[in-house]
Amino acid sequence: MELNLQELKQTEFPVPVELEDNIAITSLSQLYNWGRRNSLWPMLFGLACCAIEMIATASSRFDFSRFGFEVMRATPRQADLMIVSGTVTKKMVVPIVRLYNQMPEPKYVLAMGACASGGGPFKEGYNVVSGMDKYLPVDVYVPGCPPTPQALLYGMIALQRKIDGQSIANGDDVPWYGVGPAEPTPVPVLGPDIIDPRQMDMIRRQAESAAMEMAALGQRELPAATQMVAAKATTQEAVAAAPAEVDSDALNFVLPTGGTPWSEAEDIREKRRLRALARKAVRATRRAAETDEG
Amino acid sequence: MVEALATEETIDAQTIDGAIAYLQTQFPDAVKLDDREGYQGLIVDSAQLLKVARAIRDDLGFDYLSSATAVDYLGVDDHMEMVYHAYRTSGGGALVFKAQTDREDAQIPSLVPVWRGADFQEREAWDLYGIRFPGHPNLKRILMWEGFHGHPMRKDWREAYYEEEVKPFDSRWPGGHVHRSEEKNVFGKNVAYPPEIDLNRLMDSSETSVYSSLGLGVDIEQIMDKDGFETNQLVVNMGPHHPSTHGVFRMVLTVDGETVTSLEPVMGYLHRNHEKIGERNTYLHNIPFTDRLDYISSMGNNHGYVLAVEQLMSLGRRYNPPTYRCEALRVMMVELSRIVNHLWAIGFWLNDIGAFFTPVLYFIQERERILDFFEAVAGSRMMCNYMRFGGLFADLPERIKSVSNLANDRVRDYNTMQFLTEMVNERIPRTIDELEQLLTQNEIVLERSIGVGILSAEDAINYSAAGPLLRGSGVAYDIRRADPYSIYPELDFDIAVEQEGDMYARYRVRVQELRESVRILRQILPRLEATKGESIWADGKVGAYAPRVPLGEAYGRVENGKGELGYYIVSAGGKNGSSNPWRYHVRAPSFINLTPMGIMSTGYKVADIVGILGSIDIVLGETDR
C-alpha cells in the first residue's frame, strides 16, 4: 500500500493551522511497511537456470529497480530478500542456511521456480532438497521452470503486498516484530546423508529401530519404519496386517536447542493462526467501511 | 578383414579400423575387439591399460581424450566398465576403448599420467561408481561430499525417493488419492540414513578433505617464501556464494600476498543427479532435462542428445533420418544459441574484470531479441525443448506475435522470415560491431587480459580443454569441421583460432565465432526459403515419440558454445532394445574445461583468477550436472 500524502494530512487529530503542511499522522506499522516494501534489496545470489532469468529481470528490459528492488547486494549483510533461484542441493543448502542466518532482519525468502518451491523436475535426485521450505521459511513461491521475468516481478510484488499486511503491534505476526533476537536456523550437517539438526532425535530413534530390525536388507534400503509408512500410504490392508504401529513418540521430539515440544508448538501455531484471521477480518471490515465513506 | 591387415606394412593406421588393427598386432594378448551387438572399439586388459593408452597417444596420435566414463553392467554382464573416447586433434572419428573390472573390488589404472584430462572424469567415476584408480594423484569425491554413503550411480543403489526402476511410473493417484514421495519417507524429506549411523560421533568431514590436498590443516600457515622471508600462507575460499563464480562454484586458493600459489576447484553444489534421473527416464523424457544442462544454450544441448539417440536408432531397421529442412532449422537454432552464449560469456567476463554489469546490458538487449524468437517457435524463452528424434517440435510459425505485453514492451507482430532476416543481417552484426568497438582496443581490457591465464597448446590438448579455450590456445579443433555432423560440411565458415592462449585470445576467438555464426545464419536463411513447405519429419509423419532404441552404444558430440558437448548412451536390456537408456552420460565441456584451471591460475593475482574463470566460460548446470 502506498502512503497517500493527501490522506495523511486529513487526520482526526486537531493540528494547528500553521503546522498543517508539516504534520502527517499515520500508524507506525504503515510507516515501517512502507519503508520496507519499497527498499527490498535482493541478494546477488544465483543457484541455477533461474538465476539467468533473475539477471534478465534485473537488467534493462524488465528492470525490477522500478519497484523498489533497488540494487542487488552480494553480501547477505546488506540484503533483505533472498531469491532462491534454482535447484537447492544438499551440498548447497548448508551455505544457503548460513547465508540466511547472516542476513539482518527483517528478511524475506522468495522461492523462484519449480526446484526451489518443491524440487521441480529434479526432485527425485539423491542430492536434491525438495524445496527450500524444508529448511527456511519461504514467503513467496513463484512457479515456472524457469519463471519468466514477468512472473518473477509478479512474485516480488506479491511479497510487497504481504509486507503491507504485517503489523508491528503483534509480536507474533512476524518474528522480527517480537521480543529479542530470533534464533538462527540450525545449519544442516553433511553426514552419510544431509542431517537437519532439528530432526536429530527422530533420526536417532528411527536409525536405532532400523538397526535392530534389519541387517539382511540391501545396502541402502530405507529403514524398516519407513517401509511401513510407505505401505500405509499405498494400501489400507497393508496397515491392518502390519505387526506394529509407527513410533508415535517420533513426532514429540524436542528441539535440540531447547525449544518448545511439538505438541505445544502446534497449539501456539493454531492460536497464532486464529489471531491472524481475526486481524484480517478486522482489517477487511475497516477497509470496507473506508470505501463506503469514500 | 583383420587377418588380411595382419602385417604391419599393410596397416593404414590413419583410419580408425587401421588403428584398431595396429593395436591388435602390437598387443595381441591385451586387446580384443568389442563384439557385443551394437558396440564398437576395443576391450583392453586392465592390467595393461596404461601401456596400450601410451601407444594410442604416442604411436597412433590420438592425443585428445574426449570422454572417460564408467558404466555399471549389473544384471547384464555383472561387471563395471570404463569407456574412453580418444580423438586426434587433426580430425577424424573416435577410437573407443574400454577396460573392464569386477564390481566388488573395482580397480582400473588411472590414465592421468597419459592424458591429464582424465583427472576430473576419473574422480567422478570414483564418486558415482566407486571405481578406484591406482595412480591418480588426487582421488577423492568431486560431486558429492566426502562421507556420503555409497556410490549413487551404481545400479543397485537406490535414492530415498526411489519409486520404480524405470519410467513411466505407475499412477501416483491410485484410487483417486494422490501420494507424494515425502509421504512415503518417514523423515518427510529426501533423505535416508544407513542403519549403522552413529549420531553421537557425527563429524562433518566434507570440508577437511577439501583442504587436505593443499597440504593444509589450518587457514594460515607459517612458510618460508622464495626470498627466504618468513611469511604467512593464507587459504582463501571463493564461493560457492561469490558473485564472480557464475553460479555455485567454489575455488580454494592458497595465496602468498596477492599471488596465487595453488588453486583447487570444488564443485558439486549444483549436482542435481542428471545422469541418475536420466537412466530412469525414457529417451524422450531426457530432452527437457538436457535443456537444463547448459541453460544458456539449450538448443545446442538438445542437438547433441538427439544426434546420439539418432545414431543408436539408425542401427535398427525402422529409422528415418531427419529431412533437410529439419537439419537447416536445427543448425539455425544452434547458431543462434551460440550467439546468445558468446554474448553472455563476453558480458560476464567483463563483469569479472571489473566492468560491473554495464557491458552486459548492451549484450542482453540482443539476447532478449533472440529469446523472443525462441519463445515464438518453441514456446519457452530459455528451456526450448525443441528437438525430437528424427524431427523437431514444430516448424517456424508464420508470424511472431507477442505473448507477453509489458508496459514498456511494444506489441509485437512480425513476419518470421522478415524478423530473422533483419536480425541476422542487421541487428546481430550491429551488436557485434558495437561490442568490438567498445572492447577490442579498449585499453583496460587489453591491460587486464593480455598475457594473463596462459594455457599452452600442448597443455590444452593434454587437459582435454574444448571450445574457445582450446582454440584460443592455437589448436584449430572445431567439431563442426573435425568430425562433421548435420549439414555443416556444406556450409562455408572458418574455424576461429588464436595463438596466444591468454584471456584476450579467448575473447578474440569468441568475437570471431560470433561473426562466423552470422555467416552461417546468412547461408541458412535461403535454405529455409527454398525448403519452405517441406515437412520437418521424414515422410511427413511425426516420428516415434517414445522409440524403442536398439541395443548398442553411441557417442554423439556437438560443438556447443562452451566446447565439445558429448552424450554417451548405452541401450541395454531386452532383445528388442529398450525405451530407457541403460547409461546416459554427459561429457560436459564446462566440467572438463576446469581441469586446467589450476595450472592456468598459478602465479597470477587473485583479481586475475576471477577473470580467468570468466574466460573459460563455465555454466554450473553443466559442470555439476
Side-chain angles (χ1 to χ4, degrees), chain A residues 53 61 90-91 125 194, chain B residues 190 193 241 267 368 381 408:
Chain A
E53 284 300 59
R61 188 180 184 188
K90 290 178 184 171
K91 205 169 173 180
I194 194 160
Chain B
N190 191 7
Y193 304 99
H241 165 70
M267 51 192 96
E368 285 289 336
R381 280 159 53 85
N408 66 345

Side-chain angles (χ1 to χ4, degrees), chain A residues 53 61-62 74 87 89-91 123-128 130 145 150 191-196 220, chain B residues 145 149 157 161 167 182 189-190 192-193 202 241 267 269 271-273 292 368 372 381 404 406 408:
Chain A
E53 284 300 59
R61 188 180 184 188
F62 299 99
T87 316
T89 62
K90 290 178 184 171
K91 205 169 173 180
K123 180 175 170 182
E124 64 202 271
Y126 48 85
N127 191 27
V128 176
S130 26
C145 190
Q150 293 94 323
D193 203 331
I194 194 160
I195 294 168
D196 190 343
R220 205 180 144 100
Chain B
W145 62 87
H149 187 256
W157 193 96
Y161 278 173
K167 287 177 186 171
E182 287 98 322
K189 56 176 84 166
N190 191 7
Y193 304 99
L202 197 63
H241 165 70
M267 51 192 96
Y269 291 95
H271 177 47
R272 38 191 185 182
N273 329 123
R292 286 152 183 83
E368 285 289 336
D372 280 350
R381 280 159 53 85
S404 53
L406 281 178
N408 66 345

Side-chain angles (χ1 to χ4, degrees), chain A residues 43-53 55-56 58-63 66 72-76 86-92 94-95 98-99 115 118 121-130 134-135 145-146 148-150 153 188-196 198-200 202-208 210-211 214 219-223 225-227 229-230 233-234 246, chain B residues 128 142-150 152-153 156-161 167 169 179-197 199-200 202-206 240-241 243 247-248 266-274 276-277 280-281 289 292 295-296 344 348 356-357 361 364 367-369 371-372 375 380-383 404-406 408-409 412 620:
Chain A
M43 185 152 66
L44 181 57
F45 161 69
L47 291 181
C49 336
C50 288
I52 307 295
E53 284 300 59
I55 295 166
S59 28
S60 42
R61 188 180 184 188
F62 299 99
D63 191 13
R66 295 179 293 163
M72 291 184 120
R73 307 304 300 187
T75 160
T87 316
V88 183
T89 62
K90 290 178 184 171
K91 205 169 173 180
M92 190 60 201
V94 180
R98 277 205 198 106
L99 287 169
C115 291
F122 299 98
K123 180 175 170 182
E124 64 202 271
Y126 48 85
N127 191 27
V128 176
V129 171
S130 26
K134 295 279 182 291
Y135 289 91
C145 190
T148 55
Q150 293 94 323
L153 276 178
V189 182
L190 292 176
D193 203 331
I194 194 160
I195 294 168
D196 190 343
R198 295 173 294 190
Q199 282 191 326
M200 206 69 125
M202 183 167 85
I203 295 165
R204 183 176 290 128
R205 210 165 297 142
Q206 294 294 353
E208 276 167 9
M214 54 175 279
Q219 63 154 325
R220 205 180 144 100
E221 292 291 334
L222 298 178
T226 318
Q227 290 173 340
V229 176
T234 43
V246 181
Chain B
L128 303 183
I142 188 164
L143 295 176
M144 299 305 287
W145 62 87
E146 210 64 48
F148 182 74
H149 187 256
M153 283 296 288
D156 54 359
W157 193 96
R158 288 173 172 183
E159 57 268 40
Y161 278 173
K167 287 177 186 171
F169 293 154
H179 66 80
R180 299 176 183 81
S181 336
E182 287 98 322
E183 292 155 7
K184 288 184 166 186
N185 189 323
V186 73
F187 302 106
K189 56 176 84 166
N190 191 7
V191 288
Y193 304 99
E196 66 275 10
I197 182 172
L199 290 161
N200 300 320
L202 197 63
M203 293 275 287
D204 193 336
S205 57
S206 55
H241 165 70
V248 286
V266 184
M267 51 192 96
Y269 291 95
L270 192 56
H271 177 47
R272 38 191 185 182
N273 329 123
H274 194 91
K276 186 82 176 175
I277 295 175
R280 302 236 188 276
N281 282 346
F289 278 89
R292 286 152 183 83
Y295 33 75
I296 298 177
W344 196 263
F348 274 75
F356 197 67
F357 257 94
L361 295 180
I364 281 182
R367 170 185 184 262
E368 285 289 336
R369 192 91 171 159
L371 293 198
D372 280 350
E375 190 177 10
S380 171
R381 280 159 53 85
M382 275 170 68
M383 308 303 182
S404 53
N405 182 16
L406 281 178
N408 66 345
D409 194 10
R412 287 169 268 145
L620 267 294

